[in-house]
């Protein structure tokens, strides 16, 4: 189906520039501090930070290709389609669209925008090379969970107990590291909880490789693939944001 068929343009009206529409202007900008903590993304599919085969044997090239080329790409495509008829001007970042649609809807825009963002973040949360948190993050992990292994164990356990589809997260919430689970497309940053790592707990993330053995996928991804260097960078950025808020 073409985009025109989904959203027919009235032919009896003159084309209007988006900026003239009242609906475009009724959406206020969210706080820049939060956006500085989580970043700003375009509505285009970002490049994978590695080759599709690089996550094997824990996640196969086939799974990565299908997940990235079909699922992830489709969420972004739907967002671009939906904002043509919604209250957003075209230069809004994906993060702004997620924040606004979380509160004001429409729900299909939120679901697709949040899923797009979650997938952007998921690929960045994984690394083909096992690595360790930066020392300042390791200290915070030790203080909160006892050790990195204990955090991984708790993370696997929480993800394993999720009923249905959703996401597992390591977040910074009120200045503390926390594990959080979200259902379906939901994403922590709409509640100002700053994502540091994401694990996709939807069936399409593992079914080709693991069939029904979700626990095995979770164990491998969390033990072998999480990018703790990325998480450390995100944590540093989030802590800077907290300082900026305290000053501002
Ligand atoms: Mn997915």
């Amino acid at each position: 189906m073409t985009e025109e068929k989904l959203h027919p343009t009235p032919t009896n009206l003159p084309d209007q520039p988006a900026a003239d529409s009242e609906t475009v202007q009724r959406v206020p900008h969210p706080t820049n501090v939060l956006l500085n903590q989580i970043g700003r993304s375009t509505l285009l599919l970002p490049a994978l930070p590695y080759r599709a085969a690089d996550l094997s044997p824990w996640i196969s090239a086939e799974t990565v290709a299908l997940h990235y080329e079909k699922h992830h790409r489709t969420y972004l495509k739907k967002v671009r389609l939906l904002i043509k008829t919604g209250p957003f001007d075209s230069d809004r970042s994906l993060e702004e669209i997620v924040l606004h649609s979380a509160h004001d809807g429409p729900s299909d825009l939120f679901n697709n925008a949040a899923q797009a963002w979650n997938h952007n973040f998921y690929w960045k949360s994984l690394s083909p090379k096992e690595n360790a948190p930066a020392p300042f993050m390791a200290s915070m992990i030790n203080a909160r969970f006892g050790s990195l292994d204990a955090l991984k164990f708790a993370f696997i356990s929480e993800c394993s107990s999720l009923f249905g589809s959703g996401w597992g997260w390591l977040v910074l919430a009120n200045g503390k590291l926390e594990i959080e689970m979200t259902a379906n497309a939901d994403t922590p940053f709409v509640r100002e909880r700053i994502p540091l790592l994401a694990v996709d707990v939807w069936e399409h993330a593992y079914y080709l490789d693991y069939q029904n053995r979700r626990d095995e996928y979770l164990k491998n991804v969390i033990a072998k693939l999480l990018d703790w260097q990325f998480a450390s960078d995100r944590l540093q950025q989030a802590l800077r944001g907290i300082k900026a808020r305290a000053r501002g």
Side-chain angles (χ1 to χ4, degrees), residues 59 67 118-126 167 198 200 217:
I59 303 176
H67 197 172
N118 293 348
H119 282 86
N120 285 359
F121 201 80
Y122 172 62
W123 299 122
K124 288 190 281 189
S125 295
L126 307 181
W167 295 83
D200 192 335
Y217 156 78

Side-chain angles (χ1 to χ4, degrees), residues 67-68 71-72 75 115 118-119 122-123 166-167 200-205 217:
H67 197 172
Y68 172 71
H71 294 274
H72 189 181
Y75 291 125
Q115 276 296 79
N118 293 348
H119 282 86
Y122 172 62
W123 299 122
W167 295 83
D200 192 335
V201 197
W202 284 56
E203 226 172 48
H204 65 232
Y217 156 78

Side-chain angles (χ1 to χ4, degrees), residues 145-165:
F145 298 94
S147 67
L148 181 59
D149 281 345
L151 162 56
K152 287 179 181 177
F153 186 83
F155 205 177
I156 293 166
S157 162
E158 294 237 6
C159 288
S160 297
S161 63
L162 180 78
F163 186 80
S165 296

Side-chain angles (χ1 to χ4, degrees), residues 135-203:
F136 80 96
M137 185 176 189
S139 301
M140 287 179 71
I141 289 171
N142 292 343
R144 177 76 178 80
F145 298 94
S147 67
L148 181 59
D149 281 345
L151 162 56
K152 287 179 181 177
F153 186 83
F155 205 177
I156 293 166
S157 162
E158 294 237 6
C159 288
S160 297
S161 63
L162 180 78
F163 186 80
S165 296
W167 295 83
W169 304 88
L170 181 67
V171 300
L172 185 72
N174 302 316
K176 284 184 184 165
L177 295 179
E178 279 186 32
I179 295 165
E180 176 173 358
M181 302 305 300
T182 60
N184 301 317
D186 192 18
T187 195
F189 77 82
V190 299
R191 290 172 294 279
E192 303 202 21
R193 301 161 69 86
I194 310 300
L196 306 174
L197 289 171
V199 176
D200 192 335
V201 197
W202 284 56
E203 226 172 48

Side-chain angles (χ1 to χ4, degrees), residues 32-57:
N32 282 328
V33 175
L34 178 61
L35 287 172
N36 286 342
Q37 286 176 299
I38 56 177
R40 291 174 176 82
S41 315
T42 71
L43 305 185
L44 300 175
L45 185 69
L48 272 183
Y50 32 74
R51 292 168 306 173
D54 289 349
L55 302 181
S56 66

